[in-house]
PDB file of all heavy atoms in Angstrom:
ATOM      1  N   LEU A1448      75.965 -42.501 -20.939  1.00 96.00           N
ATOM      2  CA  LEU A1448      74.587 -42.706 -21.205  1.00 96.00           C
ATOM      3  C   LEU A1448      73.753 -42.401 -20.123  1.00 96.00           C
ATOM      4  O   LEU A1448      74.084 -42.485 -18.960  1.00 96.00           O
ATOM      5  CB  LEU A1448      74.353 -44.098 -21.846  1.00 96.00           C
ATOM      6  CG  LEU A1448      75.241 -44.579 -22.963  1.00 96.00           C
ATOM      7  CD1 LEU A1448      74.965 -46.052 -23.301  1.00 96.00           C
ATOM      8  CD2 LEU A1448      75.118 -43.725 -24.182  1.00 96.00           C
ATOM      9  N   THR A1462      82.948 -38.501 -30.193  1.00 97.00           N
ATOM     10  CA  THR A1462      82.937 -38.849 -28.811  1.00 97.00           C
ATOM     11  C   THR A1462      83.290 -40.402 -28.645  1.00 97.00           C
ATOM     12  O   THR A1462      84.131 -40.897 -27.756  1.00 97.00           O
ATOM     13  CB  THR A1462      81.602 -38.633 -28.000  1.00 97.00           C
ATOM     14  OG1 THR A1462      81.438 -37.210 -28.133  1.00 97.00           O
ATOM     15  CG2 THR A1462      81.724 -39.110 -26.642  1.00 97.00           C
ATOM     16  N   ALA A1482      80.333 -51.144 -17.440  1.00 96.00           N
ATOM     17  CA  ALA A1482      79.194 -51.374 -18.305  1.00 96.00           C
ATOM     18  C   ALA A1482      79.124 -50.426 -19.505  1.00 96.00           C
ATOM     19  O   ALA A1482      78.865 -50.858 -20.637  1.00 96.00           O
ATOM     20  CB  ALA A1482      77.894 -51.222 -17.457  1.00 96.00           C
ATOM     21  N   SER A1497      92.731 -49.411 -17.282  1.00 96.00           N
ATOM     22  CA  SER A1497      92.920 -48.905 -15.820  1.00 96.00           C
ATOM     23  C   SER A1497      91.638 -48.100 -15.561  1.00 96.00           C
ATOM     24  O   SER A1497      91.339 -47.103 -16.169  1.00 96.00           O
ATOM     25  CB  SER A1497      94.141 -48.042 -15.879  1.00 96.00           C
ATOM     26  OG  SER A1497      94.172 -47.357 -14.646  1.00 96.00           O
ATOM     27  N   ALA A1515      98.504 -38.052 -12.195  1.00 96.00           N
ATOM     28  CA  ALA A1515      99.977 -38.272 -12.451  1.00 96.00           C
ATOM     29  C   ALA A1515     100.187 -38.790 -13.891  1.00 96.00           C
ATOM     30  O   ALA A1515     101.069 -38.374 -14.582  1.00 96.00           O
ATOM     31  CB  ALA A1515     100.610 -39.064 -11.381  1.00 96.00           C
ATOM     32  N   ARG A1540      86.551 -31.344  -9.289  1.00 93.00           N
ATOM     33  CA  ARG A1540      87.795 -31.211  -8.572  1.00 93.00           C
ATOM     34  C   ARG A1540      89.043 -31.718  -9.450  1.00 93.00           C
ATOM     35  O   ARG A1540      90.113 -31.104  -9.356  1.00 93.00           O
ATOM     36  CB  ARG A1540      87.767 -31.923  -7.364  1.00 93.00           C
ATOM     37  CG  ARG A1540      86.671 -31.315  -6.325  1.00 93.00           C
ATOM     38  CD  ARG A1540      86.750 -32.067  -4.977  1.00 93.00           C
ATOM     39  NE  ARG A1540      88.049 -31.920  -4.316  1.00 93.00           N
ATOM     40  CZ  ARG A1540      88.489 -32.847  -3.368  1.00 93.00           C
ATOM     41  NH1 ARG A1540      87.834 -33.829  -3.017  1.00 93.00           N
ATOM     42  NH2 ARG A1540      89.686 -32.521  -2.871  1.00 93.00           N
ATOM     43  N   ALA A1543      89.664 -29.183 -12.115  1.00 95.00           N
ATOM     44  CA  ALA A1543      90.342 -27.969 -11.637  1.00 95.00           C
ATOM     45  C   ALA A1543      91.913 -28.278 -11.408  1.00 95.00           C
ATOM     46  O   ALA A1543      92.718 -27.421 -11.747  1.00 95.00           O
ATOM     47  CB  ALA A1543      89.678 -27.565 -10.370  1.00 95.00           C
ATOM     48  N   VAL A1556      81.079 -34.139 -26.571  1.00 96.00           N
ATOM     49  CA  VAL A1556      79.679 -33.924 -26.629  1.00 96.00           C
ATOM     50  C   VAL A1556      78.918 -35.118 -26.304  1.00 96.00           C
ATOM     51  O   VAL A1556      79.253 -36.279 -26.693  1.00 96.00           O
ATOM     52  CB  VAL A1556      79.297 -33.381 -28.108  1.00 96.00           C
ATOM     53  CG1 VAL A1556      77.756 -33.278 -28.285  1.00 96.00           C
ATOM     54  CG2 VAL A1556      79.991 -32.142 -28.391  1.00 96.00           C
ATOM     55  N   LEU A1563      69.059 -31.006 -21.381  1.00 97.00           N
ATOM     56  CA  LEU A1563      67.965 -31.545 -22.126  1.00 97.00           C
ATOM     57  C   LEU A1563      66.689 -31.115 -21.506  1.00 97.00           C
ATOM     58  O   LEU A1563      65.641 -30.723 -22.186  1.00 97.00           O
ATOM     59  CB  LEU A1563      68.026 -33.067 -22.112  1.00 97.00           C
ATOM     60  CG  LEU A1563      69.263 -33.552 -23.039  1.00 97.00           C
ATOM     61  CD1 LEU A1563      69.365 -35.086 -22.903  1.00 97.00           C
ATOM     62  CD2 LEU A1563      68.989 -33.283 -24.549  1.00 97.00           C
ATOM     63  N   MET A1566      65.958 -27.438 -22.064  1.00 97.00           N
ATOM     64  CA  MET A1566      65.536 -27.240 -23.544  1.00 97.00           C
ATOM     65  C   MET A1566      64.071 -27.592 -23.746  1.00 97.00           C
ATOM     66  O   MET A1566      63.432 -26.816 -24.492  1.00 97.00           O
ATOM     67  CB  MET A1566      66.459 -28.153 -24.456  1.00 97.00           C
ATOM     68  CG  MET A1566      67.861 -27.736 -24.571  1.00 97.00           C
ATOM     69  SD  MET A1566      68.975 -29.092 -25.202  1.00 97.00           S
ATOM     70  CE  MET A1566      68.093 -29.304 -26.876  1.00 97.00           C
ATOM     71  N   ARG A1584      64.002 -34.705   4.226  1.00 95.00           N
ATOM     72  CA  ARG A1584      62.857 -34.522   5.177  1.00 95.00           C
ATOM     73  C   ARG A1584      61.789 -33.626   4.650  1.00 95.00           C
ATOM     74  O   ARG A1584      62.008 -32.612   4.037  1.00 95.00           O
ATOM     75  CB  ARG A1584      63.362 -34.095   6.491  1.00 95.00           C
ATOM     76  CG  ARG A1584      64.351 -35.040   7.163  1.00 95.00           C
ATOM     77  CD  ARG A1584      64.926 -34.554   8.438  1.00 95.00           C
ATOM     78  NE  ARG A1584      63.893 -34.287   9.456  1.00 95.00           N
ATOM     79  CZ  ARG A1584      63.429 -35.271  10.224  1.00 95.00           C
ATOM     80  NH1 ARG A1584      63.982 -36.383  10.208  1.00 95.00           N
ATOM     81  NH2 ARG A1584      62.501 -34.982  11.159  1.00 95.00           N
ATOM     82  N   ARG A1604      63.642 -16.442 -12.865  1.00 97.00           N
ATOM     83  CA  ARG A1604      64.610 -17.521 -13.180  1.00 97.00           C
ATOM     84  C   ARG A1604      64.010 -18.877 -12.970  1.00 97.00           C
ATOM     85  O   ARG A1604      63.256 -19.111 -12.079  1.00 97.00           O
ATOM     86  CB  ARG A1604      65.808 -17.323 -12.157  1.00 97.00           C
ATOM     87  CG  ARG A1604      66.921 -18.333 -12.354  1.00 97.00           C
ATOM     88  CD  ARG A1604      68.166 -17.977 -11.454  1.00 97.00           C
ATOM     89  NE  ARG A1604      67.827 -18.331 -10.116  1.00 97.00           N
ATOM     90  CZ  ARG A1604      68.681 -17.949  -9.083  1.00 97.00           C
ATOM     91  NH1 ARG A1604      69.815 -17.368  -9.300  1.00 97.00           N
ATOM     92  NH2 ARG A1604      68.386 -18.232  -7.845  1.00 97.00           N
ATOM     93  N   CYS A1633      57.944 -28.560 -14.747  1.00 98.00           N
ATOM     94  CA  CYS A1633      58.294 -29.485 -15.819  1.00 98.00           C
ATOM     95  C   CYS A1633      58.887 -30.708 -15.129  1.00 98.00           C
ATOM     96  O   CYS A1633      59.767 -30.519 -14.228  1.00 98.00           O
ATOM     97  CB  CYS A1633      59.265 -28.855 -16.839  1.00 98.00           C
ATOM     98  SG  CYS A1633      59.994 -30.090 -17.949  1.00 98.00           S
ATOM     99  N   VAL A1650      51.024 -26.042 -11.581  1.00 98.00           N
ATOM    100  CA  VAL A1650      50.866 -26.934 -10.415  1.00 98.00           C
ATOM    101  C   VAL A1650      49.381 -27.309 -10.163  1.00 98.00           C
ATOM    102  O   VAL A1650      49.155 -28.428  -9.815  1.00 98.00           O
ATOM    103  CB  VAL A1650      51.459 -26.212  -9.142  1.00 98.00           C
ATOM    104  CG1 VAL A1650      51.041 -26.993  -7.928  1.00 98.00           C
ATOM    105  CG2 VAL A1650      52.986 -26.149  -9.172  1.00 98.00           C
ATOM    106  N   ALA A1666      64.542 -38.508 -13.102  1.00 97.00           N
ATOM    107  CA  ALA A1666      63.814 -37.327 -13.419  1.00 97.00           C
ATOM    108  C   ALA A1666      64.626 -36.022 -13.101  1.00 97.00           C
ATOM    109  O   ALA A1666      65.383 -36.040 -12.171  1.00 97.00           O
ATOM    110  CB  ALA A1666      62.473 -37.402 -12.675  1.00 97.00           C
ATOM    111  N   ILE A1667      64.311 -35.071 -13.856  1.00 97.00           N
ATOM    112  CA  ILE A1667      64.808 -33.595 -13.630  1.00 97.00           C
ATOM    113  C   ILE A1667      63.566 -32.843 -13.454  1.00 97.00           C
ATOM    114  O   ILE A1667      62.532 -32.948 -14.277  1.00 97.00           O
ATOM    115  CB  ILE A1667      65.638 -33.124 -14.847  1.00 97.00           C
ATOM    116  CG1 ILE A1667      66.905 -33.904 -14.860  1.00 97.00           C
ATOM    117  CG2 ILE A1667      65.982 -31.537 -14.473  1.00 97.00           C
ATOM    118  CD1 ILE A1667      67.952 -33.630 -13.947  1.00 97.00           C
TER     119      ILE A1667
END
Side-chain angles (χ1 to χ4, degrees):
L1448 307 175
T1462 296
S1497 172
R1540 295 182 61 203
V1556 176
L1563 291 172
M1566 289 164 59
R1584 295 176 65 85
R1604 184 171 69 186
C1633 173
V1650 168
I1667 296 286

